[in-house]
Amino acid sequence: MRAFVLTGPGAYAVQEVPVPVPGRGEAVVEVERVGVCGTDMEFFTGAMAYLHQGHSSYPMRLGHEWCGRVARVGEDVDPAWVGLRVMGDTMLGCGACRRCSRGHQHVCETRQEVGIRGGRSGALAEQLAVPVSSLHVLPDSVDAALGSLVEPGGNALRAAQAAAPGSGDRVMVLGPGAIGLLTALFLRAAGAEVHLMGVTDASLAFARTMGFEHTWTEHTVPDLPFDAVIDASNAAHLPGLALELVEPGGRLVCIGLAGEPSRIDTRTLALKDVTAVGILSASPGLEATIRAYADGVVDPRPLIAATVGLDQVGEVLAGGRPFDCGPGPKIHVDPRLS
């Protein structure tokens, strides 16, 4: 089968690789759609921390935001899985440690991450092998576009829930990228007044096309009380700004990751009685995200700018935009396209 293989920083090829064989407890999925993520771009540049910590190494097959149809299953798997449309959890815990036993497999010390960590191949290929325990069935109303947005949506849903907005609460989201906009959609669905802060006119203009009227740059943020502030950016200084902006007694949520350490003044955190929450992984939010998409509570399809084939992935990872793509921040890949 064809697969996109990253062989080193900036080095890649679409290769013919062996078709995966499902192991015990595994399913092989025919991949329908894959989202390209900022994490994938960090692996492309060589900046991703896992490369330097020994959790990942080249060559590797990227792709952790995906959906598809089960083609075959291994031993100890119910054959009824065959033919079902599914998406999969990125985080694969060991299943035996204290964290896994408490339902926190997404922070298991020895976890694999599909397309990211521990040598587990990702979905930028025609087929993918994963544990059946990681799969979530997609209803007919969740098409391929939505199915491959479940994983980032689960992260965003958890960030929105961590902000704990009440109806009419005012929430600021720092960073109008894919995660920031998905978070904003879930916040709006919860009844919050959503504000977005960004850098470029284009990103803020796109946010307004999605119905978010309150868009700002760092220098134009109004003097308003924000009941929660969510940092969905990659700027090291913005968690500090988030703490300045949030109301006393409010909530500070960090889901963005900067390339260098971020610092906040814990004296301010304590004196303002702010609750600070970090979010890693969509795992606990996947089922709720599927339901939200299926019921039309949120519709993230406008985020998708284009869908390309495997041969165009390298250009996308290098920061290129496909010809005639839309204004959204998300590029999808259909491995079946030539």
Side-chain angles (χ1 to χ4, degrees), residues 183-200:
T183 303
L185 288 171
F186 282 111
L187 289 167
R188 184 168 66 188
E193 176 186 305
V194 182
H195 292 241
L196 285 149
M197 192 193 89
V199 175
T200 68

Side-chain angles (χ1 to χ4, degrees), residues 35 37 55 65 172 174 237 277:
C37 172
H55 297 308
E65 303 175 359
M172 171 66 82
L174 308 180
H237 73 286
V277 182

Side-chain angles (χ1 to χ4, degrees), residues 74-156:
E75 293 183 50
D76 297 333
V77 178
D78 187 340
W81 277 99
V82 175
L84 294 180
R85 292 185 57 254
V86 296
M87 64 76 57
D89 196 344
T90 300
M91 307 301 211
L92 309 178
C94 72
C97 70
R98 184 174 186 269
R99 296 174 192 174
C100 286
S101 67
R102 293 184 169 213
H104 299 151
Q105 107 285 339
H106 59 290
V107 288
C108 170
E109 184 67 26
T110 60
R111 69 185 180 274
Q112 292 182 320
E113 298 179 26
V114 176
I116 297 175
R117 171 175 164 149
R120 174 66 70 165
S121 292
L124 282 175
E126 293 175 335
Q127 296 188 1
L128 168 74
V130 290
V132 73
S133 59
S134 70
L135 297 180
H136 295 258
V137 177
L138 299 175
D140 291 341
S141 56
V142 177
D143 61 12
L146 288 175
S148 53
L149 285 167
V150 171
E151 200 277 345
N155 280 280

Side-chain angles (χ1 to χ4, degrees), residues 183-264:
T183 303
L185 288 171
F186 282 111
L187 289 167
R188 184 168 66 188
E193 176 186 305
V194 182
H195 292 241
L196 285 149
M197 192 193 89
V199 175
T200 68
D201 292 338
S203 65
L204 295 174
F206 177 72
R208 290 192 291 272
T209 69
M210 297 187 69
F212 296 107
E213 302 174 2
H214 308 296
T215 60
W216 317 99
T217 66
E218 188 169 346
H219 303 295
T220 64
V221 172
D223 184 16
L224 293 171
F226 293 101
D227 301 292
V229 179
I230 300 173
D231 176 30
S233 77
N234 60 2
H237 73 286
L238 287 188
L241 177 62
L243 182 56
E244 292 178 20
L245 292 174
V246 71
E247 275 285 277
R251 299 178 74 85
L252 167 61
V253 181
C254 294
I255 189 170
L257 293 174
E260 58 187 76
S262 299
R263 301 188 184 280
I264 61 171

